[in-house]
Amino acid sequence: MSDNKRPIVVVADDDRDIYELIKMQLTRHGFEVFIADNGVTALELIAAHQPAVALLDIMMPGLSGLEVARRIRDNSANSNVGIILISARSSGRDNADLDELAIDDYITKPFSLKELVDRINNVITHRQTTESSQP
Amino acid sequence: MPARHTLVVDDDFKLRLSQRLAAAALGTLLVVLAVVMFSTSESLVGKLEVVSDAGSTVGNMVRVQRESLVFLIAFEQWTGGIITRRDLQIRRAILAKRLSVRDDEGVINGDRVQTEYFQILGVLDDLVKAGPPGLLPHDDHTVIRLKSADAVQGLVFEARKLVDGVTQVSDRQTRQLIRNENTRRTNLYIVILVLLTLSGLVIVFTEVTRRRAYRAFSTQARNRRQELDETSATLQKVDKDLQSRLEKERIARTEQEWITSGFNSISLRFRSSATSELIAETMVEGLGRVLQADSVISYSFAELPWPRILKQWHQRPVSQVDESLFTEFESGLFSYVDGLWNDRRIVIVADSHLIKIWPDQIPEIVETVRQLVRSWLIVPIGEGTHALGFLFIAMVESAREWSAAEIELSKKVSATAASTWNQLRMVGQSMQIASMEIAERTAEVGRLVELGKVKSDFIVNMNHELRTPLTSIMGYMEVIVGDVDAGVEPELASSLAAVQRNALRLQILIENMMKIAVSDFKDVPFVVTTVDVGHLLADVVNSMNLATGDSKVELTLRLDSPAGDLLIDGARNQLEQVFVNLVHNAVKFLPADGGAVTVVARRTHAEGDYVEVKVIDTGIGIPVEDFPNVFKRYFRGSTAIASVPGFGIGLSLVHLIVLEHHGTITFDSTVGKGTVFTVTLPIRYTATDSPIGIR
């Protein structure tokens, strides 16, 4: 990922309104956005574009967001990809799998778009810092 | 010595003082007498000597005689012309002297002499006088001799008579003395003899008394010993009696103890036996062990709805008795045992080999039994008027004299078993009914739970479904609102604000619903951090203000303590929920013309460290009759008419969360005036305070 280009985000959500909304907002904030409406497509997009962040809705038909996350992590080529999961659960993370999968962040519906943008930036910044600290 | 009926004392053998004195006196006397005797002999000699002593009469007379004879001899000599008249006269003078001497008795010797003597002497004196001095001439010899011959003879004769007389006297005296002495001696002898006899007597007497005393003593001793022997024999007998009585009592007590302890140990296990089967098992094993029997069988007759129970216990590996043995004879057996029960009779067979005739009415089973065992007890078990079953206790090969205690124990145990069986039967009945009811209820509860789960699952699913469109709405609203300039298009801005407001309400509702639905099944995690209540309240009030946007509602926050004092342990999102709900309610229940809602927060120290938050509104209030129901789920209050939206979930959820934080929530309200809700939350609660849990 080069600093010149816009950061790439892959968004996976089965609801059209949601992903259109997110795409619009993120594009306005300077991200390049690729959309998938299912897990399989999401994985393909991630493999193709190596995004900075993958924004995954947990509740999707077919592969769930968790499953996608697992596959991303299993593939060592994707070690740079940050993962943010979108959940309908209102309370905090209570799934041990999340810890195992080294999810970067977790956001619950309904969320404010501004908050979403902030979180994505945080994840990217955090990842860059970690990367640069490694030899 | 008086016989004394006391224990013999040494004193009886000692000589009394009188005896001692007597003995001493006697001894002394004897010694004295011996001395006297001795001295008497001496004195006799002395006396005799005295008799012949010069001073004594006899001595004097003898001297007179001698002198007389010497004079005569001298006279003869004169007459013979041997001596001179002078010599003769000297001799005559000596004689005369002698005659004038007094003897020891004071008598002049001359006085003792006979007159004839002096006559003769006188004659002679005359002759002497007539004679010439000096030697007598030869011629005169014969004349004088002739003249004096008679006188001389006569003087000799007289002189002899002197002594004779005196000798007689002295002889007499001597004889007298000797006689006296003899007498004295005899007396002494007599005295000695008497004394000796006396001593002897005394000794004998003492000895006799001593012997007597000794005999008395030994008799006493013998009597005493006899008494002692008798007493000891009696005591022994008494002791033996006592021992045998104690033994009997001990046996009886041991038997009683044995019965009691045996019974206790068995009945204790009865109590922990919950079924009739277990009771029977406990009974046979307990009795088998305590009685040390070879086999114990317990059989209860089938009595609908309870089945027959056959339980058996065998000490040796005896083949188990088959139920068919009893069922084959069941009816006969029942009437037999029932008979035993009603007669309260126990069958006791010590040795079946000895019995020739069997009095009871069931010969077949008796034969069978006889072949299997040698001695037995049959104890009927019954309650009231009919038998429930029986106990069969047997020894296989050995005869046994069943003791009263053993029979007693068996009776007690079977009686307890009977009553416990009965109780169980009665309990069993009610328990059966109860358990059927319980089963029904459980099924119902299960159904309800299922239903609840289904509902809850539905809600949760719905909830999730609802969130997504809401996200879209809110999201697009955000975009739109961002694009609209409120200054340019105030109406549009206001409309959009209305939409946003309602979207927020929807969000709150969805959150609430979710929580309630989820809380039923304990899925709610509880992540505890330090929460800044002041900050939290500020957020809530701000968003509420945004949401209402209504100038008719005055919503303010007041912090009465510095922000740093308002930190508590809790779950932020849940606490947020609490205050959102409370404020939302407060706003919701304001009258149509608006009002004020004030949120006040402060730190208190009353009974611990707390943060107290009051939500005060000037709303329509809660009527008193609704007070108990305020925190109940789905309660909406009688004042909450259709104009006030809501599902009534909010306050019950608030209550729940506050409780989970170990806090309290109270309220006060006046209809038409307003309501105050007070939430107190502890600053700290320790990790060991488990969450109260979902109520």
Side-chain angles (χ1 to χ4, degrees):
Chain A
M1 186 189 71
S2 68
D3 296 71
N4 300 332
K5 285 216 198 124
R6 295 182 296 166
I8 301 169
V9 177
V10 168
V11 178
D13 197 316
D14 58 332
D15 187 298
R16 191 182 154 205
D17 285 329
I18 297 279
Y19 66 63
E20 286 292 339
L21 175 66
I22 293 173
K23 179 172 175 178
M24 177 173 57
Q25 195 68 353
L26 291 182
T27 313
R28 280 198 191 183
H29 282 82
F31 292 92
E32 186 175 348
V33 183
F34 294 95
I35 297 168
D37 67 354
N38 66 79
V40 176
T41 317
L43 284 168
E44 287 168 6
L45 288 172
I46 289 164
H49 302 285
Q50 290 290 312
V53 172
L55 194 59
L56 311 167
D57 184 21
I58 290 181
M59 308 251 284
M60 284 193 291
L63 282 178
S64 74
L66 274 178
E67 196 46 44
V68 173
R70 200 170 284 125
R71 291 189 192 197
I72 294 171
R73 288 288 174 245
D74 282 349
N75 190 343
S76 56
N78 299 329
S79 58
N80 293 334
V81 176
I83 299 176
I84 299 177
L85 292 176
I86 305 170
S87 166
R89 282 185 172 271
S90 61
S91 15
R93 296 146 57 160
D94 56 355
N95 196 328
D97 291 342
L98 302 179
D99 294 324
E100 272 176 38
L101 295 169
I103 303 300
D104 294 81
D105 207 346
Y106 187 96
I107 191 167
T108 56
K109 290 179 185 172
F111 47 80
S112 98
L113 294 166
K114 181 177 179 305
E115 198 178 338
L116 181 65
V117 169
D118 286 342
R119 294 216 189 183
I120 292 171
N121 280 326
N122 281 343
V123 167
I124 293 171
T125 317
H126 185 72
R127 281 200 158 255
Q128 279 178 343
T129 322
T130 324
E131 274 172 30
S132 55
S133 68
Q134 285 168 1
Chain B
M1 205 97 41
R4 302 207 314 244
H5 297 288
T6 56
L7 277 179
V8 173
V9 167
D10 278 342
D11 285 355
D12 286 354
F13 290 108
K14 288 201 191 127
L15 297 171
R16 270 144 129 233
L17 187 63
S18 56
Q19 281 177 309
R20 283 205 209 127
L21 282 174
L26 275 173
T28 316
L29 263 175
L30 275 170
V31 165
V32 161
L33 280 171
V35 164
V36 161
M37 253 180 58
F38 185 67
S39 64
T40 309
S41 325
E42 293 284 303
S43 75
L44 177 63
V45 170
K47 276 225 178 80
L48 286 173
E49 278 180 358
V50 162
V51 166
S52 55
D53 199 42
S56 69
T57 312
V58 173
N60 277 317
M61 286 297 111
V62 165
R63 280 198 190 91
V64 166
Q65 182 193 56
R66 199 179 59 197
E67 293 303 327
S68 306
L69 289 176
V70 165
F71 172 68
L72 281 175
I73 291 168
F75 191 84
E76 285 294 307
Q77 286 177 333
W78 180 67
T79 58
I82 300 168
I83 55 165
T84 64
R85 196 176 72 166
R86 180 141 179 103
D87 292 329
L88 182 66
Q89 278 174 327
I90 290 169
R91 278 274 161 243
R92 180 71 186 77
I94 294 170
L95 180 63
K97 181 91 192 209
R98 181 60 58 197
L99 282 168
S100 66
V101 166
R102 286 181 192 267
D103 65 16
D104 285 335
E105 288 177 25
V107 176
I108 299 169
N109 289 332
D111 289 341
R112 290 191 191 272
V113 176
Q114 307 270 43
T115 325
E116 290 86 7
Y117 178 84
F118 284 110
Q119 283 175 349
I120 299 168
L121 196 58
V123 171
L124 288 176
D125 283 338
D126 289 336
L127 284 173
V128 168
K129 248 196 283 193
L135 287 171
L136 202 51
H138 186 61
D139 296 335
D140 291 325
H141 289 187
T142 317
V143 173
I144 307 261
R145 272 210 188 142
L146 274 167
K147 275 188 195 174
S148 64
D150 285 328
V152 166
Q153 250 185 331
L155 198 68
V156 168
F157 184 69
E158 285 304 315
R160 233 190 259 135
K161 263 201 349 192
L162 277 178
V163 177
D164 281 347
V166 172
T167 310
Q168 272 181 357
V169 168
S170 78
D171 279 351
R172 240 195 340 267
Q173 273 185 345
T174 307
R175 270 201 296 278
Q176 193 62 38
L177 271 173
I178 289 173
R179 237 199 319 271
N180 286 345
E181 193 57 35
N182 280 342
T183 313
R184 196 137 37 135
R185 217 170 258 194
T186 311
N187 287 343
L188 267 175
Y189 284 150
I190 289 171
V191 168
I192 288 172
L193 203 63
V194 165
L195 283 175
L196 279 173
T197 313
L198 272 174
S199 317
L201 281 174
V202 164
I203 288 168
V204 165
F205 181 64
T206 314
E207 192 55 32
V208 163
T209 39
R210 278 176 60 137
R211 284 264 164 111
R212 208 142 32 105
Y214 175 71
R215 231 176 293 131
F217 161 70
S218 69
T219 313
Q220 252 187 51
R222 216 176 316 124
N223 288 345
R224 227 20 85 63
R225 179 133 37 112
Q226 218 170 352
E227 278 174 37
L228 279 170
D229 284 342
E230 280 170 23
T231 314
S232 103
T234 315
L235 278 173
Q236 272 187 338
K237 186 169 171 304
V238 166
D239 186 51
K240 228 193 306 192
D241 285 345
L242 193 68
Q243 286 298 331
S244 74
R245 203 178 45 210
L246 282 174
E247 184 65 29
K248 282 204 195 97
E249 274 175 24
R250 192 182 59 78
I251 290 169
R253 199 175 46 240
T254 314
E255 279 190 351
Q256 191 55 44
E257 283 171 0
W258 177 82
I259 294 174
T260 313
S261 74
F263 177 68
N264 284 344
S265 72
I266 297 173
S267 68
L268 200 70
R269 292 185 30 227
F270 275 171
R271 276 187 220 125
S272 58
S273 306
T275 66
S276 304
E277 306 250 337
L278 279 173
I279 299 255
E281 232 173 77
T282 306
M283 187 163 54
V284 295
E285 187 179 330
L287 275 176
R289 286 198 196 289
V290 171
L291 292 176
Q292 304 255 306
D294 286 342
S295 292
V296 181
I297 296 172
S298 144
Y299 187 80
S300 78
F301 299 111
E303 196 178 292
L304 291 171
W306 299 282
R308 69 174 65 83
I309 302 168
L310 172 66
K311 287 289 170 193
Q312 45 195 309
W313 177 90
H314 304 284
Q315 189 165 159
R316 297 107 159 287
V318 169
S319 55
Q320 300 272 321
V321 173
D322 199 76
E323 202 171 298
S324 60
L325 177 68
F326 294 98
T327 53
E328 198 181 322
F329 301 109
E330 181 142 21
S331 60
L333 206 55
F334 177 79
S335 54
Y336 173 64
V337 173
D338 203 38
L340 285 179
W341 170 253
N342 282 311
D343 293 343
R344 297 291 188 270
R345 194 159 64 88
I346 293 177
V347 173
I348 305 167
V349 174
D351 188 352
S352 60
H353 291 344
L354 301 176
I355 303 177
K356 302 296 171 203
I357 303 165
W358 292 89
D360 291 309
Q361 298 87 356
I362 35 168
E364 313 98 353
I365 197 166
V366 165
E367 256 325 292
T368 318
V369 168
R370 251 170 60 111
Q371 280 161 25
L372 295 173
V373 294
R374 183 151 171 196
S375 62
W376 62 83
L377 291 175
I378 303 179
V379 182
I381 305 175
E383 192 78 11
T385 53
H386 66 281
L388 295 172
F390 64 90
L391 260 181
F392 184 75
I393 305 166
M395 303 299 289
V396 175
E397 279 162 16
S398 41
R400 179 166 173 170
E401 288 295 331
W402 304 96
S403 74
E406 291 167 340
I407 294 167
E408 183 65 32
L409 179 65
S410 312
K411 274 161 71 173
K412 280 179 89 143
V413 168
S414 66
T416 310
S419 67
T420 319
W421 264 348
N422 238 27
Q423 274 177 8
L424 278 178
R425 285 183 175 190
M426 290 197 284
V427 167
Q429 256 176 333
S430 33
M431 268 196 21
Q432 270 191 323
I433 297 165
S435 70
M436 281 197 306
E437 284 179 18
I438 288 168
E440 267 179 42
R441 298 257 171 78
T442 312
E444 202 178 306
V445 166
R447 281 196 295 273
L448 286 171
V449 167
E450 263 309 303
L451 197 62
K453 270 208 100 156
V454 165
K455 274 193 199 162
S456 179
D457 285 346
F458 169 73
I459 291 173
V460 168
N461 284 337
M462 270 311 294
N463 203 287
H464 290 166
E465 295 295 318
L466 287 169
R467 282 170 192 266
T468 307
L470 190 59
T471 311
S472 284
I473 293 169
M474 285 171 72
Y476 283 110
M477 280 307 298
E478 210 178 316
V479 172
I480 296 165
V481 165
D483 288 345
V484 165
D485 185 345
V488 171
E489 291 166 288
E491 271 180 21
L492 182 57
S494 165
S495 305
L496 291 170
V499 175
Q500 264 189 325
R501 212 161 44 242
N502 282 282
L504 187 62
R505 277 167 73 180
L506 264 180
Q507 180 186 0
I508 292 170
L509 283 169
I510 288 167
E511 301 281 334
N512 287 356
M513 195 175 23
M514 182 65 171
K515 286 212 168 55
I516 296 284
V518 162
S519 71
D520 276 344
F521 298 98
K522 301 186 175 115
D523 282 340
V524 180
F526 199 76
V527 180
V528 174
T529 56
T530 307
V531 176
D532 185 343
V533 174
H535 192 128
L536 178 71
L537 288 173
D539 278 350
V540 168
V541 167
N542 281 340
S543 25
M544 270 339 252
N545 268 327
L546 275 173
T548 56
D550 195 337
S551 57
K552 278 193 276 183
V553 175
E554 196 186 317
L555 174 59
T556 47
L557 171 65
R558 197 177 83 220
L559 299 180
D560 281 352
S561 298
D565 278 359
L566 299 173
L567 301 175
I568 66 167
D569 288 340
R572 193 183 197 282
N573 56 341
Q574 301 209 344
L575 289 170
E576 190 176 31
Q577 196 64 48
V578 164
F579 296 114
V580 161
N581 282 9
L582 284 174
V583 171
H584 189 69
N585 266 11
V587 169
K588 198 165 65 179
F589 283 91
L590 288 175
D593 55 348
V597 176
T598 320
V599 179
V600 183
R602 67 185 181 117
R603 171 80 168 261
T604 67
H605 300 278
E607 292 174 32
D609 272 338
Y610 293 94
V611 165
E612 183 196 80
V613 177
K614 284 188 194 291
V615 178
I616 308 158
D617 69 56
T618 57
I620 55 179
I622 307 167
V624 173
E625 53 268 24
D626 285 347
F627 278 18
N629 300 325
V630 160
F631 294 116
K632 287 200 179 144
R633 199 185 291 190
Y634 309 125
F635 176 73
R636 293 203 55 231
S638 45
T639 52
I641 29 183
S643 62
V644 179
F647 289 129
I649 304 172
L651 283 180
S652 69
L653 187 65
V654 161
H655 189 216
L656 205 68
I657 296 172
V658 169
L659 286 178
E660 279 189 358
H661 283 75
H662 295 258
T664 55
I665 176 164
T666 58
F667 66 93
D668 197 11
S669 186
T670 317
V671 171
K673 282 247 176 97
T675 314
V676 178
F677 272 86
T678 310
V679 175
T680 14
L681 296 161
I683 298 286
R684 297 265 180 278
Y685 52 86
T686 58
T688 55
D689 294 338
S690 52
I692 295 171
I694 311 304
R695 301 259 170 102

